[in-house]
Amino acid sequence: MALYEIMFILSGSLSENETSKLCKTLVAPFSKEKNFKLQELGLKQLAYPIKKNTNGWYYLINCETNNNDLLKNFSSAINLDNNALRYLIVNLEKDYGYNATLNPKKVEKAKKKFAIYQEKRAEFEERKNTFKKNKEENNEMSSIVDTVMSHSDDKNETSESTKKIVASKLKKETKETVKKVVKKEKK
């Protein structure tokens, strides 16, 4: 049996007695169903006018049923009544909460998705660590360049040429490491 939640709004222009009578006629077929529960949520202001009404009487039905004809009859009855503003029928069994844990197919599907997630997460962490390592190596190389530059004799010409050579080597090493990471990702 499927668990359903049905909410409907009746016109706010009706009196409380008229609303309760109309509600009883609409809800009567559901009263025989398992775990039937009717809640009158009261007269509330609507967020926007519906059929020139700014207020509405809210009702909520909870029940278990396998009778689709019952739901179709309710839908057609409420559509024919001019005092019914809106309704919504929700099958709570299709929710992916607690009920999903009871369905073995959904549990298996969730396990597969989680395994894929763990794989992707491990790949991400590996790439992150590789980039950190490369960044540290580059920082070490730049510190070496700075020390070489500070100890060089000719600070004008030699330092500029040394900077260019070391910088080009750093760029080549960085490009090579990036290419290696990209190749690993493609595999």
Side-chain angles (χ1 to χ4, degrees):
M1 294 189 105
L3 180 63
Y4 286 94
E5 184 174 85
I6 304 166
M7 178 171 265
F8 59 96
I9 306 171
L10 300 178
S11 175
S13 61
L14 298 174
S15 69
E16 194 169 349
N17 291 336
E18 293 172 327
T19 308
S20 62
K21 286 179 187 175
L22 180 58
C23 177
K24 284 179 184 175
T25 57
L26 291 172
V27 172
F30 291 103
S31 61
K32 300 168 190 163
E33 297 300 321
K34 186 177 179 183
N35 294 334
F36 171 75
K37 184 178 177 184
L38 174 67
Q39 293 177 345
E40 182 180 332
L41 303 175
L43 182 66
K44 296 184 179 186
Q45 186 172 358
L46 302 173
Y48 55 89
I50 302 172
K51 296 182 184 177
K52 299 181 182 179
N53 288 293
T54 56
N55 294 322
W57 294 92
Y58 283 71
Y59 290 93
L60 180 67
I61 302 171
N62 291 312
C63 68
E64 285 185 45
T65 184
N66 282 334
N67 190 353
N68 289 332
D69 291 334
L70 179 68
L71 298 171
K72 287 178 185 176
N73 290 340
F74 173 78
S75 179
S76 62
I78 206 161
N79 283 330
L80 291 173
D81 196 328
N82 291 334
N83 292 316
L85 304 178
R86 291 278 191 274
Y87 74 97
L88 179 67
I89 302 172
V90 179
N91 182 345
L92 297 177
E93 294 294 319
K94 292 185 179 176
D95 184 26
Y96 296 103
Y98 169 74
N99 293 320
T101 61
L102 301 176
N103 187 338
K105 288 181 183 177
K106 290 181 182 178
V107 170
E108 190 62 35
K109 189 175 181 181
K111 285 180 181 177
K112 286 179 183 177
K113 283 184 178 181
F114 184 68
I116 291 169
Y117 167 77
Q118 286 181 323
E119 240 178 65
K120 297 287 183 185
R121 185 68 186 176
E123 289 175 12
F124 172 76
E125 290 297 327
E126 184 180 324
R127 281 187 281 153
K128 184 177 168 184
N129 292 335
T130 305
F131 283 120
K132 277 185 179 179
K133 185 179 176 184
N134 291 340
K135 189 175 181 180
E136 289 171 2
E137 289 174 2
N138 287 340
N139 288 340
E140 288 175 17
M141 291 294 278
S142 63
S143 65
I144 292 169
V145 170
D146 291 338
T147 56
V148 167
M149 297 305 290
S150 64
H151 295 305
S152 69
D153 296 332
D154 297 332
K155 291 197 176 184
N156 293 336
E157 292 179 23
T158 312
S159 63
E160 290 299 321
S161 61
T162 309
K163 279 183 185 177
K164 288 180 183 177
I165 292 168
V166 173
S168 66
K169 286 183 180 179
L170 283 174
K171 285 181 183 177
K172 286 179 185 177
E173 288 179 14
T174 307
K175 286 180 184 178
E176 289 173 6
T177 54
V178 169
K179 286 180 183 178
K180 287 178 186 176
V181 170
V182 170
K183 284 180 183 177
K184 285 181 182 177
E185 286 180 7
K186 287 183 181 178
K187 290 179 183 178

